[in-house]
Amino acid sequence: MERSTGNAQPSLAFAFDIDGVLIRGASVIPEAKRALAILEGANEMNWKIPYILITNGGGVSETERCHKLTNELGVNITPSMLVQAHTILRDHSREYADQDVLVLGGRRNGLRQVAESYGFKHVWTPLDIKAWDPQYVTDFSSKRISAAFIFHDPRNWALDIQILLDVIRSRGFVGKVYTYDGTEPPPVRLVFCNPDLLWRSEFPVSRLGQGAFREAFQAVYKSLTGVTYPIVQYGKPTKPTYDFAERMLRQRILELVVYLLALMLISLRCTPDNPESDIAGANGAGWHSILVRTGVYEGGRGSPTHKPTYIADNVLEAVQWAIQRER
Ligand code: G3P
Ligand code: MG
């Protein structure tokens, strides 16, 4: 956006990674509150700089996560500012509106409500299928699961891999062994929302993420069939997720209205902690990327696998560097 004199507004917008940049496990990274306060206008030019949060995390509704983030970060985070690993599925629910789908991840049946809030109408979880007994609960013998979505990191890998195998190898007809009878039901679509092999919690060593579950499932499937199963992968660094996030950010800028003219000219800054997902994704989307040393990447082990525009000690230094650079 052209810089007006006086209350000049920057042609700048940010997309923040959450785990390892703003939050680590249950604790807020000390510099995060100050960094976001600067973007909310606490700077000598009174700039209000638009930003969103983009995470491979999830497992709850955007509204619930925003409520928690607002309390943790001391700034108002609204669902129009948050892209979780599974938020992109909001755009895909219509094509499954009349179909039975399996949703994995999170605690017990917690993700059913999230999937239904996106518009999915016939949502089942591994526990529904595990508990299946025609005399008592849902009878799956007449249902066909057409897609399985790994919304969030599964807790019980053994159960989830077993149920996924049952559903996939029966072409969606749970409890039946698929035998070719002349009709060819399409294969079950398998969609993962977070490719992270590792992520940073408050534990001093990075934790296994949903990408590790995907590798475990594929290893078992390959041992049984000799091939890996075709999947759809969303989440950072995939292009669909960055395209979705960029649309959200432009919508956010519209919401702010003040930055209307910046719509065509913003130069995006992404502050991530994980070179494999965040830097790779930002670079692929043509965004500038600032890698911080408070997450998966700590800088001790040489240069990162994907080259960021800049490496900062923490998110506050990242924001200050980006604003300084725009001047
Ligand atoms: O499951 C959470 C983890 O994969 C990383 O989240 O915020 O660093 O993308 P984030
Ligand atoms: Mg992170």
Side-chain angles (χ1 to χ4, degrees):
M1 179 171 89
E2 289 309 306
R3 293 263 181 93
S4 60
T5 51
N7 187 15
Q9 302 292 347
S11 55
L12 195 57
F14 286 83
F16 289 102
D17 171 38
I18 298 180
D19 287 319
V21 174
L22 302 173
I23 307 272
R24 189 183 297 154
S27 2
V28 177
I29 290 176
E31 297 80 6
K33 286 187 174 180
R34 174 85 182 97
L36 295 180
I38 290 174
L39 301 190
E40 290 289 342
N43 53 65
E44 67 269 23
M45 302 295 283
N46 289 325
W47 289 351
K48 199 167 169 52
I49 300 171
Y51 63 93
I52 60 170
L53 310 184
I54 170 173
T55 176
N56 276 345
V60 293
S61 70
E62 282 70 23
T63 305
E64 183 179 335
R65 186 73 197 270
C66 286
H67 183 71
K68 188 164 183 290
L69 287 165
T70 298
N71 291 335
E72 288 168 330
L73 299 169
V75 292
N76 187 31
I77 306 289
T78 62
S80 65
M81 297 163 73
L82 176 64
V83 179
Q84 297 191 108
H86 41 73
T87 309
I88 192 170
L89 296 181
R90 268 198 314 236
D91 287 359
H92 296 269
S93 60
R94 258 189 303 277
E95 60 194 279
Y96 295 95
D98 58 352
Q99 296 175 40
D100 290 288
V101 299
L102 181 64
V103 166
L104 281 78
R107 295 181 296 277
R108 297 190 64 77
N109 296 329
L111 289 175
R112 193 199 311 279
Q113 288 80 4
V114 177
E116 289 168 346
S117 74
Y118 290 173
F120 291 95
K121 303 246 183 308
H122 311 286
V123 180
W124 306 103
T125 70
L127 289 180
D128 292 327
I129 294 178
K130 179 171 176 277
W132 170 40
D133 179 330
Q135 284 85 353
Y136 301 111
V137 289
T138 310
D139 174 0
F140 281 94
S141 60
S142 58
K143 291 186 182 307
R144 179 174 178 272
I145 302 277
S146 56
F149 297 94
I150 323 299
F151 264 58
H152 189 50
D153 308 5
R155 298 289 173 97
N156 184 338
W157 286 21
L159 170 67
D160 287 352
I161 289 177
Q162 179 63 74
I163 297 288
L164 268 182
L165 287 171
D166 291 344
V167 167
I168 282 171
R169 299 183 77 197
S170 65
R171 293 278 173 125
F173 295 103
V174 181
K176 283 186 188 146
V177 176
Y178 170 67
T179 45
Y180 184 70
D181 62 359
T183 60
E184 181 78 0
V188 174
R189 193 168 187 224
L190 181 54
V191 180
F192 287 83
C193 294
N194 165 9
D196 283 358
L197 201 58
L198 297 171
W199 67 288
R200 191 62 187 271
S201 71
E202 65 267 33
F203 193 74
V205 180
S206 294
R207 305 290 72 196
L208 291 178
Q210 191 181 126
F213 172 76
R214 181 199 64 223
E215 293 306 304
F217 165 78
Q218 289 287 26
V220 173
Y221 186 83
K222 187 165 184 180
S223 312
L224 291 169
T225 64
V227 292
T228 53
Y229 193 73
I231 68 164
V232 174
Q233 180 68 68
Y234 293 132
K236 298 179 290 182
T238 66
K239 186 171 183 324
T241 288
Y242 277 82
D243 290 346
F244 182 86
E246 185 144 352
R247 283 201 312 275
M248 286 262 292
L249 188 57
R250 291 179 186 282
Q251 181 55 37
R252 174 75 189 142
I253 291 165
L254 268 179
E255 272 175 13
L256 287 181
V257 178
V258 174
Y259 289 90
L260 203 53
L261 294 182
L263 265 187
M264 303 305 294
L265 302 173
I266 55 172
S267 62
L268 273 163
R269 295 283 183 283
C270 175
T271 60
D273 81 297
N274 183 343
E276 301 309 329
S277 51
D278 304 301
I279 299 290
N283 292 350
W287 299 1
H288 297 290
S289 55
I290 306 174
L291 180 59
V292 293
R293 293 192 179 88
T294 50
V296 170
Y297 176 76
E298 289 169 322
R301 300 179 315 284
S303 46
T305 41
H306 297 273
K307 189 172 174 359
T309 313
Y310 181 66
I311 297 180
D313 283 339
N314 54 59
V315 64
L316 177 58
E317 189 204 325
V319 164
Q320 289 166 334
W321 176 83
I323 291 176
Q324 195 55 40
R325 192 168 183 265
E326 277 302 302
R327 281 223 175 107

